[in-house]
C-alpha cells in the first residue's frame, strides 16, 4: 500500500500545494468573519470533505491512469485502500492547516479553546467521514463525472423537495423545512453532554462509516471496467 | 508442451460487441501475433489477460496459473504495452520509472537506463511533452525492464517510425531466444508479424477465425487469381473471400492443395499469401453484400 501512497503523493503533490494555499487564504478570511466555533467546524468539514476526494481521485480520472495501475501487480482492493489513506492524509493536512490558521492568525475571532477539544475534533472527523462515505465510493466507481452528477442530482432533488414542500404545506420558508433534520442533527451533536460514552460513540461511528464506505468502494472498484 | 498463455472459451459482452468463445494457446518461447480488422476484439483479449475488464465466461491461464486467482503473481511476470499507454502526464520519464519499479521485485534500473539511452528517451522530460512514438518507447522500456516472461503488446508499433519498428521487431525476436520469454503482439501492421511471429491468432467480429502457426497458414492458405469465370460450380465452397475486378477475380482459400487440384488445367494462378491479404479477405468473408470491392 505504501507504493500506492507514494504514487498518489507524487501525482497529487502539485494539486495538494495549490489546494492548501487556497484553503489557507479561505480559512484566514473565515477566521476573521466567524465567531462561532460550531459554524467554523461545519464549514471546514464541508469544504475539506468535498475538496479532498476531488484532489486525490480526480487526477486519475483526468489522465485515465486507472488502467495502468490495475495492470500492475497489485490488488484492486489495495489500490482502493491506498486512495482512502491518501484522501484521509490530505484531509488531516487540510484540517491541520485550518486549525493552525485559526490559532495563530492575528485577526482570528474564533475562540481556539472551544475548537481544539476532543469533542470538536471528533465531530469534525464525524462530519467529514459522513461526506466521504457518500462521495468516495461514487468517485471511485463513476469518476469525476459521477460526482458532478451526484452533486447536481442532489441539488435538483433539493429544489424538487423545496417545491413539493412549498406546494403541499404552503410553508413560508421551505428551505427551513428541508434543512431542519440537518440542523437538529448538528445541534444534537454539538450540544450533547461530553461524556466518555458519547465520544466513544462518535469514534465508533467514524470508524463504522469509513469501514462501510471502504468496503463498498472495494466492491465497486473490483467491478470497474477500464 | 509448456504454455505461457492459454485462453479457453473466452467471452466478453459489451453493448454492441461480444467476444465469443475465443480459445488459443501460446507456447513458452514463442511470439504470437493477434490480428483482425478493427473491432475484432484484439484489445479486449489483451485487457482480459490483464484483468482490466471482467470476462463474462471462459478461463485464462498464464504459466499454468489462473489470471484471476493468482493475479498479483501472474502480473508480476507480465510486461505490457497498451494501445493508449495511460501514463501520469505531469511526471517525468524518470519519475514514471520510480513509481512503477517498486511493483516489480525483478526491476532492473540499469536495464531501464540502458533502454532509455538506446531509445533516445529524454529522461528529464515530462510525459505530457512526449510524442506518441516516444510514449510508446517509454512503455516498451518499462515493459522490458523487469525481466517479464510474457510480454503483452497492443499495437506497439503504431506511432513508431519504420527504422525503430524494424529495430523493435529484431529486439523482440532476440528476447525469445532465451526460451522462457513469450510475446503476444496485437497489430494492424501484419507485415510486422510476417517478420517475427511464430503463431498467428485471427479474430473477426469477436470470433476466433483460427489460431495456428504462421508456417501452417502460409502452407495451407493462398490467394487464387483468375478470370471472371473463376467462380463456378467447380470452385464452389473453395473460397473464404472474393474480390471482383474489371479484369478478373482474386480469392482467398484456406485449402491450397484442394485449390491446386480443382484448378489444374484452368487459367488461374495460386499465389503465396501475405497476412494483410488474409485480414482483408476475412473481413469481407460471408454474404455477397460483404464481398471485397475491387478498386
Amino acid at each position: 500500500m505504501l507504493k500506492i501512497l507514494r504514487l498518489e503523493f507524487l501525482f497529487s503533490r502539485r494539486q495538494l500545494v495549490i489546494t492548501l494555499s487556497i484553503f489557507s487564504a479561505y480559512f484566514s478570511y473565515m477566521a476573521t468573519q466567524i465567531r462561532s466555533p460550531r459554524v467554523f467546524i461545519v464549514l471546514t468539514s464541508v469544504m475539506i470533505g468535498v475538496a479532498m476526494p476531488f484532489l486525490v481521485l480526480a487526477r486519475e480520472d483526468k489522465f485515465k491512469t486507472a488502467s495502468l495501475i490495475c495492470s500492475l501487480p497489485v490488488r484492486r482492493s489495495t489500490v482502493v485502500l491506498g486512495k482512502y489513506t491518501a484522501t484521509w492524509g490530505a484531509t488531516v493536512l487540510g484540517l491541520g492547516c485550518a486549525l493552525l490558521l485559526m490559532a495563530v492568525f492575528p485577526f482570528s475571532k474564533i475562540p481556539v479553546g472551544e475548537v481544539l477539544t476532543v469533542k470538536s475534533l471528533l465531530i469534525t472527523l464525524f462530519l467529514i467521514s459522513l461526506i466521504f462515505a457518500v462521495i468516495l465510493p461514487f468517485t471511485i466507481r463513476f469518476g469525476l463525472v459521477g460526482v458532478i452528477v451526484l452533486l447536481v442530482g442532489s441539488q435538483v432533488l433539493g429544489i424538487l423537495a423545496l417545491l413539493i414542500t412549498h406546494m403541499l404545506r404552503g410553508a413560508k420558508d421551505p428551505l427551513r423545512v428541508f434543512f431542519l433534520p440537518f440542523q437538529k442533527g448538528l445541534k444534537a451533536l454539538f450540544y450533547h453532554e461530553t461524556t466518555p460514552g458519547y465520544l466513544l460513540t462518535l469514534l465508533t461511528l467514524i470508524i463504522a462509516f469509513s469501514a462501510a464506505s471502504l468496503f463498498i468502494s472495494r466492491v465497486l472498484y473490483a467491478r470497474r471496467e477500464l | 508442451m509448456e504454455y505461457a498463455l492459454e485462453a479457453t472459451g473466452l467471452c466478453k459482452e459489451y453493448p454492441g460487441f461480444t467476444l465469443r468463445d475465443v480459445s488459443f494457446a501460446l507456447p513458452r518461447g514463442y511470439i504470437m501475433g493477434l490480428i483482425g480488422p478493427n473491432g475484432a476484439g484484439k484489445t479486449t483479449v489483451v485487457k482480459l489477460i490483464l484483468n482490466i475488464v471482467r470476462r463474462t465466461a471462459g478461463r485464462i491461464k498464464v504459466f499454468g496459473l489462473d489470471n484471476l486467482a493468482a493475479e498479483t503473481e501472474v502480473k508480476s511476470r507480465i510486461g505490457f504495452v497498451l494501445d493508449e499507454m495511460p501514463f501520469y502526464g505531469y511526471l517525468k520519464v524518470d519519475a514514471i520509472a520510480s513509481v512503477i519499479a517498486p511493483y516489480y521485485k525483478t526491476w532492473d534500473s540499469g536495464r531501464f537506463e540502458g533502454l532509455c539511452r538506446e531509445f533516445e528517451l529524454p529522461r528529464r522530460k515530462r510525459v505530457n511533452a512526449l510524442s506518441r512514438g516516444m510514449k510508446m518507447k517509454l512503455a516498451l522500456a518499462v515493459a522490458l525492464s523487469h525481466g517479464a516472461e510474457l510480454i503483452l503488446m497492443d499495437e506497439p508499433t503504431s506511432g513508431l517510425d519504420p527504422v525503430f519498428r524494424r529495430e523493435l521487431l529484431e529486439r523482440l525476436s532476440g528476447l525469445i531466444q532465451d526460451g522462457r520469454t513469450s510475446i503476444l503482439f496485437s497489430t494492424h501492421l501484419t507485415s510486422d508479424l510476417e517478420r517475427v511471429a511464430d503463431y498467428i491468432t485471427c479474430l473477426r467480429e469477436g470470433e476466433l477465425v483460427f489460431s495456428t502457426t504462421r508456417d501452417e497458414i502460409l502452407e495451407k492458405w493462398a490467394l487464387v487469381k483468375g478470370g471472371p469465370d473463376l467462380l463456378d460450380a467447380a470452385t464452389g465452397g473453395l473460397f473464404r473471400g472474393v474480390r471482383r475486378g474489371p479484369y478478373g477475380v482474386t480469392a482467398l482459400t484456406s485449402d491450397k492443395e484442394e485449390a491446386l487440384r480443382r484448378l489444374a488445367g484452368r487459367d488461374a494462378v495460386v499465389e503465396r499469401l501475405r497476412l494483410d491479404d488474409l485480414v482483408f479477405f476475412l473481413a469481407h468473408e460471408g454474404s455477397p453484400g460483404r464481398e471485397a470491392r475491387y478498386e
Side-chain angles (χ1 to χ4, degrees):
Chain A
M1 200 204 45
L2 285 176
K3 291 175 261 185
I4 300 279
L5 270 178
R6 183 169 175 272
L7 194 153
E8 296 290 353
F9 170 72
L10 277 174
F11 197 42
S12 306
R13 61 188 168 182
R14 193 168 134 182
Q15 299 310 112
L16 189 62
V17 170
I18 294 170
T19 307
L20 288 179
S21 306
I22 296 169
F23 270 16
S24 300
Y26 173 79
F27 288 131
S28 303
Y29 174 73
M30 292 309 282
T32 63
Q33 302 296 311
I34 299 170
R35 286 175 188 280
S36 162
R38 287 176 292 280
V39 174
F40 183 77
I41 286 170
V42 172
L43 280 176
T44 305
S45 305
V46 171
M47 276 284 290
I48 289 176
V50 173
M52 292 311 177
F54 279 120
L55 169 71
V56 176
L57 302 175
R59 309 282 294 156
E60 179 180 276
D61 215 43
K62 185 181 174 189
F63 289 100
K64 315 256 181 259
T65 48
S67 54
L68 171 69
I69 201 82
C70 291
S71 300
L72 294 172
V74 59
R75 289 181 182 282
R76 287 198 185 193
S77 55
T78 312
V79 175
V80 176
L81 184 61
K83 288 182 185 305
Y84 266 67
T85 313
T87 310
W88 273 107
T91 302
V92 169
L93 274 178
L95 266 180
C97 179
L99 293 174
L100 188 72
L101 278 167
M102 177 203 66
V104 302
F105 194 57
F107 307 106
S108 173
K109 293 176 182 171
I110 301 163
V112 183
E114 284 186 45
V115 178
L116 287 177
T117 62
V118 177
K119 182 185 177 183
S120 300
L121 290 175
L122 280 177
I123 289 173
T124 309
L125 292 178
F126 172 75
L127 292 174
I128 291 173
S129 66
L130 258 182
I131 298 169
F132 279 3
V134 180
I135 284 189
L136 279 173
F138 242 83
T139 318
I140 277 173
R141 176 61 183 88
F142 301 108
L144 199 56
V145 176
V147 179
I148 292 168
V149 169
L150 174 74
L151 293 177
V152 173
S154 306
Q155 285 182 344
V156 170
L157 281 176
I159 292 166
L160 281 175
L162 286 176
L163 286 173
I164 291 166
T165 312
H166 187 70
M167 282 188 296
L168 291 179
R169 296 187 185 170
K172 282 182 184 173
D173 187 1
L175 204 66
R176 188 172 167 73
V177 175
F178 184 68
F179 283 109
L180 206 58
F182 294 102
Q183 243 178 348
K184 281 185 177 171
L186 285 172
K187 266 187 184 170
L189 269 178
F190 283 113
Y191 293 105
H192 196 283
E193 195 183 342
T194 312
T195 59
Y198 173 69
L199 296 179
L200 197 65
T201 308
L202 272 181
L203 187 64
T204 309
L205 285 173
I206 291 166
I207 294 167
F209 281 133
S210 301
S213 170
L214 178 63
F215 175 76
I216 293 165
S217 291
R218 279 179 158 182
V219 172
L220 292 173
Y221 202 67
R223 291 169 172 270
R224 192 171 171 183
E225 303 269 7
L226 301 164
Chain B
M1 190 181 276
E2 198 182 349
Y3 291 103
L5 175 66
E6 294 168 271
T8 315
L10 218 48
C11 296
K12 172 68 189 168
E13 282 177 26
Y14 284 117
F17 172 77
T18 306
L19 189 78
R20 280 183 216 92
D21 199 21
V22 170
S23 301
F24 61 88
L26 168 62
R28 256 181 189 261
Y30 290 93
I31 298 178
M32 176 181 276
L34 200 53
I35 62 171
N38 283 334
K42 303 186 293 291
T43 298
T44 303
V45 168
V46 173
K47 285 184 168 181
L48 284 168
I49 298 166
L50 287 169
N51 191 32
I52 51 179
V53 295
R54 297 166 71 219
R55 63 195 181 216
T56 313
R59 191 182 177 122
I60 295 171
K61 280 186 170 184
V62 182
F63 314 113
L65 302 168
D66 186 277
N67 78 322
L68 300 187
E71 187 174 0
T72 314
E73 191 191 334
V74 161
K75 284 182 178 177
S76 67
R77 295 164 74 182
I78 291 179
F80 60 91
V81 176
L82 301 176
D83 185 16
E84 290 285 331
M85 203 65 187
F87 283 128
Y88 295 84
Y90 284 129
L91 297 186
K92 291 177 182 168
V93 168
D94 269 348
I96 290 288
S98 78
V99 294
I100 291 177
Y103 291 95
Y104 297 100
K105 286 177 188 161
T106 50
W107 182 269
D108 183 346
S109 301
R111 187 170 166 77
F112 178 76
E113 285 165 20
L115 287 166
C116 283
R117 273 195 301 276
E118 190 181 325
F119 296 169
E120 294 172 353
L121 269 169
R123 288 165 54 191
R124 297 268 163 208
K125 214 168 181 178
R126 289 186 195 281
V127 174
N128 269 349
L130 298 178
S131 66
R132 180 175 160 76
M134 278 299 190
K135 281 181 191 165
M136 198 50 88
K137 287 181 181 180
L138 172 59
L140 284 166
V142 170
L144 300 178
S145 291
H146 59 91
E149 292 166 67
L150 173 64
I151 299 172
L152 303 175
M153 297 179 155
D154 190 12
E155 302 287 350
T157 48
S158 61
L160 298 179
D161 62 73
V163 177
F164 185 75
R165 250 175 64 201
R166 186 75 174 255
E167 286 170 4
L168 171 69
L169 295 173
E170 282 168 11
R171 175 175 282 280
L172 295 182
S173 290
L175 272 175
I176 60 163
Q177 297 308 314
D178 63 0
R180 63 184 273 277
T181 308
S182 313
I183 299 168
L184 180 72
F185 182 147
S186 124
T187 185
H188 286 105
L189 304 167
T190 45
S191 57
D192 290 348
L193 293 179
E194 277 171 12
R195 291 182 204 281
V196 296
D198 304 295
Y199 289 81
I200 305 285
T201 294
C202 181
L203 299 174
R204 186 187 55 197
E205 293 179 357
E207 290 182 357
L208 182 74
V209 181
F210 61 77
S211 182
T212 184
T213 63
R214 181 191 58 179
D215 293 343
E216 193 177 317
I217 292 164
L218 298 178
E219 196 179 300
K220 287 190 174 173
W221 295 66
L223 278 185
V224 179
K225 290 181 177 174
D229 60 340
L230 183 67
L231 304 173
D232 56 17
T235 58
L238 185 63
F239 300 131
R240 302 279 305 257
V242 174
R243 193 172 76 163
R244 291 170 200 270
Y247 307 109
V249 170
T250 306
L252 175 76
T253 178
S254 57
D255 193 343
K256 194 169 161 183
E257 290 301 316
E258 179 67 10
L260 285 168
R261 196 182 60 77
R262 285 206 223 169
L263 296 168
R266 290 182 61 170
D267 188 18
V269 182
V270 178
E271 285 185 354
R272 183 189 158 91
L273 180 83
R274 286 183 304 148
L275 288 176
D276 59 343
D277 293 324
L278 184 71
V279 173
F280 176 78
F281 278 96
L282 288 175
H284 298 91
E285 185 187 17
S287 63
R290 296 179 59 203
E291 193 172 283
R293 296 228 177 121
Y294 194 47
E295 298 299 330

